[in-house]
Amino acid sequence: MAAAHGVQFEEILSRAGDAGLWQALIVLWSIVGSVLSGVHSFSSAFVGGEPEHRCVLPGELANETASEEQLHLWLPYNNATGQPASCERWDAAGGSRTVGCDAGWVYSRERFHSTIVSEWDLVCGRRWMMSTVQASYMFGIFCGSMISGVLSDQFGRRRVVCYSGVLFIISSLATAGAGSYASFVTLRFITAFSGVSIYNSMFILTMEVMGPRWRSLAGLVYQVPFSCGMMALSAAAYLVRDWRYLQLVISAPSVLMLGFWWVLPESPRWLIMQDRLPEALNVLVAAARRNKRTLPSDAEMMRMMSEFRAAETKLSPDDDEEPQRSALQSCANGIGEIFRLVGTPRMRRISLASFYNWLVVSLIYYGVTFNSADLSSSPYLAIFLAGLVEVPAVLLAVPLISRVGRRPTTVLTFLLAGAAILCIMAVPAGIAWPKLTLAMVGKFASSAGFAVIFLYTAEFFPTTLRNVGFGASSMCARMGSMAAPYVVDLLSPVHWAIPSCVFGLAGVTAALVALLLPETNGRRLPETVADIEQGAWHPAPRDGYQALHSTEP
């Protein structure tokens, strides 16, 4: 929160340059973490790709290829597709009773040479274990998002990024040598935990060193490398078909994160608020030198930083007047804040609508991406296109919400995503390209919806509950992302169209639920729950509206 009177941090930063080479280098280094986050978030589509498989036939040797005659004698065939059953065989040659694949499976090497599915037999009755691989990764993001924020505020942005980088390097590279399913899932969880810690802390650092005019652009640019990571993953997976080598290939670039220790500065804003003014001055001097700017005298800079900190401290509760809360008291207070989100009628309507929309947009975003790999004849092309369509979706989202409005844009993106995905069910099973096209329309809309709701949510919660409301909504998004792989992996074997039905209906219902949210475009933000209950959504002055977009995210 900016100081209401006196010196503001933006004024201090402008003396050292608020959009120069120093900031550009920080953004450039942030790309490393963003790209690798995109790579590893979707790597399970290839590392855990499911090859075509069938039961091992009685008496069949490991390196032996069964003849077509033997396959027809021992395996039930699907009359519609002409393919043998994947999870059962006849109890005897030409029999009439089916049994499970008690002798194991034979896996095709046409698409994947080796995956964790073929190595640990994560098929049929064990298919849920593959879903858990991706769900555990999302759970790592869930935990990392909560904990890294606390650590970043306590120990600094740079320290969290640097230590998380080391943890990311170790865990991602070690995953390639995982000897068991349990160790693989554990290492993936650690990779997700450290990856999101880097992603979030670098985002905060980037926003805190950028000038107000450039923060929106920097925020958009920060999301684009994530999509580029998805595209790079597809290219790497196409060239490297063995999962262990692929894991090494996509993890090796993480050693660049060691550079964080030498090149990343600490946030000068955070240092000032921690009363570490000499260190903040050193950072600003380095920034001014890189940006070719001349700072005022050290004494003048120290005066400005002291004034800013004094003003900020007055706007916060005085630590001397209030005893330190224990961890248990802080936890209880946090729970109480969450209950305030649903304690009054209008506040409850807005909160529940926000929770549902975040859950659905994340469910669709991840679900459609993974399901498109199943719908397409080439998972490599599907994931590449899913990353490609995300770039224009993110870039178009912010101008759209300013022209059309927050609520109409949110409704439109959910409707478009839901309608496109539902249309997939009308495409005959044997035709792949219309399904992939519709899936990409759904991915485009869900990506735009994610960008819109991210900005929208920060505006319809009151100031007193904005952080807790945003955090609770984000938690619901993680629940959606954890549910997505189970919908795809466990329901698609029942019928290929069921996941599309689930995601499509979820999108349509989310569009209807979004109508319950208030329009905030050009309106003053509510300060308290009482403002929400009174419907205090008054038009803001032009200068006040722009000030909203120049503050910290």
Side-chain angles (χ1 to χ4, degrees):
M1 186 175 183
H5 304 286
V7 178
Q8 298 188 7
F9 178 75
E10 287 72 20
E11 182 181 350
I12 298 171
L13 183 63
S14 66
R15 303 297 177 93
D18 59 6
L21 180 59
W22 185 70
Q23 283 84 358
L25 290 174
I26 293 175
V27 171
L28 186 63
W29 277 97
S30 74
I31 290 175
V32 175
S34 186
V35 168
L36 288 172
S37 291
V39 168
H40 286 271
S41 290
F42 295 96
S43 64
S44 64
F46 304 109
V47 170
E50 183 177 327
E52 292 184 2
H53 55 279
R54 62 169 175 82
C55 295
V56 172
L57 307 184
E60 183 178 10
L61 300 177
N63 297 322
E64 181 182 65
T65 301
S67 66
E68 282 296 320
E69 183 181 355
Q70 287 176 306
L71 293 178
H72 279 84
L73 280 174
W74 284 99
L75 299 176
Y77 271 71
N78 187 312
N79 293 329
T81 63
Q83 296 297 315
S86 300
C87 298
E88 58 187 11
R89 63 173 178 83
W90 298 121
D91 59 339
S96 59
R97 186 172 64 89
T98 59
V99 294
C101 301
D102 50 358
W105 290 265
V106 175
Y107 296 93
S108 168
R109 290 170 57 87
E110 181 180 352
R111 180 177 291 179
F112 306 108
H113 292 173
S114 170
T115 71
I116 62 170
V117 171
S118 59
E119 184 164 331
W120 295 317
D121 290 333
L122 308 182
V123 294
C124 301
R126 290 160 57 90
R127 205 166 194 249
W128 64 270
M129 298 174 71
M130 185 55 234
S131 305
T132 303
V133 167
Q134 186 62 20
S136 65
Y137 188 91
M138 293 303 166
F139 186 60
I141 293 178
F142 176 85
C143 296
S145 297
M146 292 191 297
I147 297 174
S148 66
V150 176
L151 295 178
S152 179
D153 288 340
Q154 184 72 28
F155 300 107
R157 287 69 164 117
R158 179 183 180 276
R159 188 176 297 183
V160 170
V161 170
C162 290
Y163 280 106
S164 296
V166 173
L167 189 60
F168 187 94
I169 294 170
I170 295 172
S171 61
S172 61
L173 289 172
T175 302
S180 67
Y181 172 81
S183 61
F184 179 86
V185 170
T186 302
L187 288 167
R188 284 269 297 172
F189 173 87
I190 297 172
T191 300
F193 183 98
S194 54
V196 76
S197 299
I198 296 167
Y199 188 88
N200 290 351
S201 298
M202 279 296 294
F203 181 78
I204 294 171
L205 175 61
T206 302
M207 292 297 102
E208 288 183 339
V209 300
M210 296 295 294
R213 293 175 300 169
W214 301 97
R215 284 181 191 144
S216 295
L217 177 61
L220 283 175
V221 170
Y222 193 80
Q223 298 179 57
V224 172
F226 184 92
S227 308
C228 295
M230 295 173 62
M231 292 184 275
L233 168 66
S234 297
Y238 182 79
L239 297 173
V240 183
R241 303 295 180 97
D242 183 284
W243 80 266
R244 292 188 185 275
Y245 290 118
L246 175 60
Q247 182 67 29
L248 284 174
V249 167
I250 63 177
S251 301
S254 65
V255 297
L256 291 172
M257 292 180 178
L258 293 175
F260 291 160
W261 291 89
W262 288 275
V263 300
L264 280 189
E266 183 52 87
S267 164
R269 183 177 191 132
W270 181 83
L271 288 170
I272 293 171
M273 294 309 299
Q274 298 298 311
D275 201 20
R276 293 161 60 174
L277 304 188
E279 294 176 60
L281 179 60
N282 290 337
V283 172
L284 291 169
V285 168
R289 186 184 307 116
R290 181 74 71 175
N291 290 337
K292 301 186 183 305
R293 301 289 291 269
T294 302
L295 286 177
S297 66
D298 290 357
E300 174 65 11
M301 291 296 294
M302 293 293 283
R303 181 195 66 78
M304 294 175 68
M305 290 188 291
S306 297
E307 283 190 16
F308 166 70
R309 184 177 185 279
E312 284 286 314
T313 304
K314 287 178 182 178
L315 292 174
S316 303
D318 192 338
D319 293 337
D320 295 331
E321 295 177 4
E322 208 174 289
Q324 287 286 85
R325 288 175 177 160
S326 67
L328 187 61
Q329 288 173 320
S330 297
C331 181
N333 182 68
I335 294 174
E337 292 289 282
I338 292 176
F339 276 112
R340 287 183 63 197
L341 291 173
V342 294
T344 54
R346 286 192 177 180
M347 189 73 255
R348 179 166 53 249
R349 184 185 70 193
I350 291 172
S351 298
L352 293 180
S354 176
F355 298 162
Y356 184 72
N357 281 343
W358 275 78
L359 185 149
V360 169
V361 75
S362 186
L363 175 73
I364 296 175
Y365 177 88
Y366 286 98
V368 169
T369 302
F370 287 112
N371 196 39
S372 64
D374 292 339
L375 295 174
S376 170
S377 58
S378 172
Y380 309 102
L381 177 62
I383 299 297
F384 180 86
L385 292 177
L388 183 63
V389 300
E390 192 167 324
V391 176
V394 171
L395 295 179
L396 289 173
V398 174
L400 191 62
I401 61 176
S402 297
R403 290 179 176 273
V404 180
R406 273 60 163 161
R407 183 169 58 188
T409 305
T410 302
V411 172
L412 178 64
T413 54
F414 275 121
L415 271 180
L416 179 59
I421 297 168
L422 285 174
C423 286
I424 293 174
M425 297 188 297
V427 180
I431 305 177
W433 69 264
K435 296 178 190 174
L436 182 59
T437 302
L438 290 167
M440 290 306 102
V441 173
K443 179 62 192 298
F444 176 91
S446 63
S447 299
F450 229 139
V452 170
I453 201 168
F454 193 88
L455 297 174
Y456 190 16
T457 303
E459 296 180 346
F460 56 62
F461 280 114
T463 301
T464 55
L465 292 176
R466 188 160 294 133
N467 281 342
V468 68
F470 196 92
S473 299
S474 181
M475 287 172 62
C476 293
R478 300 307 166 203
M479 294 176 189
S481 64
M482 284 187 277
Y486 290 104
V487 174
V488 174
D489 293 338
L490 301 186
L491 297 183
S492 58
V494 179
H495 193 283
W496 66 266
I498 294 180
S500 298
C501 180
V502 172
F503 299 140
L505 290 177
V508 173
T509 57
L512 298 175
V513 170
L515 293 172
L516 300 175
L517 296 172
E519 178 56 66
T520 61
N521 191 21
R523 309 289 179 88
R524 293 184 185 274
L525 300 189
E527 297 293 335
T528 64
V529 174
D531 290 342
I532 295 287
E533 295 305 313
Q534 294 168 8
W537 300 96
H538 305 298
R542 183 64 181 170
D543 57 348
Y545 176 61
Q546 291 189 347
L548 162 66
H549 289 275
S550 65
T551 56
E552 298 270 344

